Amino acid sequence: MPQKSALRGEKVARHASEVADQPDPALLADQLHSAAIHLLRTLRKEDDASGLSAPRLSALSVVVFGGPLTLGQLAQAEQVRPPTMTRIVTGLEEEGLVRRVGDPRDHRLTRIQTTAKGQRILAAGRARRVKLLAESVRTLSKSKLAELSGGIHLLQEIVAAMRRQ
């Protein structure tokens, strides 16, 4: 009997040790959130070269990757009120980055569509951000690059899971 008790005690101790070694999901989420914000803030400095304000650049990005969109859809995606989005779109339109086009199926609707110039501006901004990030990534060892690759895969899984919720 004492042997069983000792084995059970070892199991409990091993389990407690394993639990203590497991990272806290809430702490990891907090650290990931912080790292993502710092990364994006650092990369966002490259956006100054576009000559666009952050709200205009963000709206242009939504139109390039999700458009053509109605003004209401764009306002909802950017979490702003329609009058605010109207001002943003008017500015983008004046710069030749987007245009308003009638909806072929519903003539009451107008959709915001990117222009070739708008696509070029956004692509150039992305290229600047990726170049800056790649410069830092290139300094990593092979083992760190492998870790990063795995981490990116996990991050993509987390994002996919959040979108399914």
Side-chain angles (χ1 to χ4, degrees), residues 96-138:
L97 305 176
V98 299
R99 64 178 164 266
R100 297 172 202 243
V101 294
D103 186 296
R105 289 176 289 211
D106 185 346
H107 298 291
R108 297 170 296 172
L109 289 178
T110 300
R111 296 197 179 273
I112 312 304
Q113 185 177 61
T114 188
T115 63
K117 180 180 177 184
Q119 290 175 348
R120 282 192 308 273
I121 293 280
L122 201 66
R126 181 184 177 112
R128 284 189 300 273
R129 289 187 305 276
V130 169
K131 180 182 176 194
L132 178 64
L133 189 53
E135 289 170 5
S136 292
V137 170
R138 279 189 194 94

Side-chain angles (χ1 to χ4, degrees), residues 75-87:
Q76 185 177 15
E78 288 294 279
Q79 299 176 354
V80 298
R81 296 170 68 186
T84 301
M85 188 50 65
T86 298
R87 287 190 298 277

Side-chain angles (χ1 to χ4, degrees), residues 20-63:
D21 291 341
Q22 289 180 355
D24 175 20
L27 178 60
L28 287 175
D30 184 58
Q31 291 170 337
L32 176 59
H33 181 266
S34 180
I37 286 174
H38 287 287
L39 174 63
L40 291 176
R41 281 184 184 151
T42 301
L43 294 175
R44 192 170 47 210
K45 291 175 186 171
E46 293 299 308
D47 291 341
D48 292 343
S50 75
L52 296 175
S53 67
R56 285 186 183 180
L57 200 54
S58 182
L60 179 60
S61 175
V62 171
V63 174

